[in-house]
Amino acid sequence: MRFATYKVDDQSYYGAVSEDGMIALSPDFSQWPTLRQALIAGGLKTLEHAALGKNVTHKDVTYDMVLPDTTRILCVGVNFPDRNAEYKDGTELPKHMSLFPRFASGFTGHGQPLIRPPESAQLDYEGEVAIVIGKTGRRIQAVDAYDHIAAITICNEGTIRDWVRHAKFNVTQGKNWDHSGAIGPWIVPFSDAVQLDDASITTRVNGEVRQDDTLSRMMFPIREQIAYISTFMTLQPGDIIVTGTPTGAGARFDPPVFLKPGDVVEVEVNTIGTLRNSIEDEA
């Protein structure tokens, strides 16, 4: 089952996604005002049971960032071997993973435009799998890491490339422009390692494949990501880890090919679905 956060006539809901539309669940669970709060409470199974046999309530909806009230998003950078080679700096594969924070304000929902700011024309795409933590843990062993995942989703971790070089070693500025990325369309409850171990990521721009790889080729697998991150911070339900993008981002073309208004970016993960966004200039 898939769960989404969406709006109808400026009213926010969360619910189950069906082929015919949305099954609103939030009106029936006032104790969980948001999907993230339902997840934190361990309520995804309850939502699944509640959706069974229920009729579609909304067909024409606007998707929101799937967990818009999330408070902690950590992203893993340069996590595929070909991505490391793209930097052409002669360095060997890194001993430890690179990490940086993103904030919910930087993301929008499925079907909504990614916004290119007037300060830069270098808006780029990065298709990734994101995991949502469902169980608190500190110094989690890699073998136990999947026990701490509640759900998985898709991220287009949009980046303003020239702003990741505004400081000596900091990429935060280029990674947090309002509505420069997207997370969604929905979360899929995590129940089987196959959902991650056999997952593939394909990113298309205007129908052209730009990124195509599998999670099994990550330099730092998701189990190791959870183990490493939980070494220095306690992972909590609702935390999101964006796990890394394959080679093929626009900045690595010669010359670079950045996103422009009218472009459409699709990030497809075979075990989750497809996240689709257009590009617009900031009004």
Side-chain angles (χ1 to χ4, degrees), residues 28-267:
D28 299 329
F29 292 93
S30 58
Q31 73 272 34
W32 302 329
T34 69
L35 181 56
R36 174 174 171 267
Q37 289 170 307
L39 182 148
I40 289 172
L44 294 186
K45 280 290 185 186
T46 300
L47 296 182
E48 286 186 22
H49 290 305
L52 293 176
K54 192 172 182 181
N55 293 327
V56 167
T57 56
H58 301 106
K59 292 190 175 183
D60 186 14
V61 307
T62 299
Y63 280 88
D64 203 346
M65 190 277 222
V66 67
L67 299 175
D69 56 334
T70 193
T71 57
R72 302 201 301 185
I73 304 171
L74 270 180
C75 302
V76 182
V78 195
N79 195 25
F80 283 80
D82 296 339
R83 282 281 288 127
N84 189 67
E86 280 181 329
Y87 281 79
K88 298 179 181 178
D89 56 5
T91 60
E92 297 180 357
L93 299 184
K95 182 178 179 180
H96 300 296
M97 64 192 72
S98 299
L99 297 169
F100 55 89
R102 283 204 64 154
F103 312 113
S105 58
F107 293 106
T108 189
H110 170 71
Q112 304 309 302
L114 306 186
I115 302 301
R116 187 176 73 166
E119 289 83 1
S120 174
Q122 295 189 16
L123 175 61
D124 207 351
Y125 54 86
E126 294 187 10
E128 310 187 37
V129 168
I131 62 168
V132 188
I133 297 298
K135 178 182 174 183
T136 301
R138 180 79 191 279
R139 298 186 177 91
I140 300 165
Q141 297 299 306
V143 68
D144 300 321
Y146 280 4
D147 295 339
H148 291 260
I149 301 176
I152 57 177
T153 186
I154 304 172
C155 179
N156 183 349
E157 208 261 297
T159 301
I160 305 298
R161 289 295 178 194
D162 50 345
W163 276 69
V164 299
R165 294 292 178 262
H166 266 211
K168 185 175 181 179
F169 56 83
N170 195 333
V171 302
T172 302
Q173 299 94 315
K175 294 288 188 176
N176 282 290
W177 289 78
D178 287 353
H179 295 176
S180 58
I183 296 180
W186 41 67
I187 57 171
V188 176
F190 181 73
S191 59
D192 193 318
V194 171
Q195 292 173 278
L196 291 176
D197 293 348
D198 293 348
S200 62
I201 304 171
T202 303
T203 303
R204 295 179 291 270
V205 179
N206 302 326
E208 177 190 355
V209 174
R210 297 281 185 85
Q211 297 179 296
D212 191 17
D213 217 323
T214 60
L215 266 60
S216 61
R217 285 187 3 97
M218 283 181 167
M219 294 188 295
F220 302 103
I222 291 171
R223 290 183 186 274
E224 292 184 23
Q225 294 177 28
I226 292 171
Y228 181 76
I229 293 169
S230 69
T231 302
F232 62 85
M233 62 183 279
T234 301
L235 287 173
Q236 299 172 348
D239 289 347
I240 295 176
I241 299 174
V242 182
T243 60
T245 194
T247 188
R252 303 305 167 188
F253 282 75
D254 186 15
V257 182
F258 295 113
L259 297 171
K260 61 186 185 302
D263 286 346
V264 175
V265 184
E266 297 172 299
V267 182

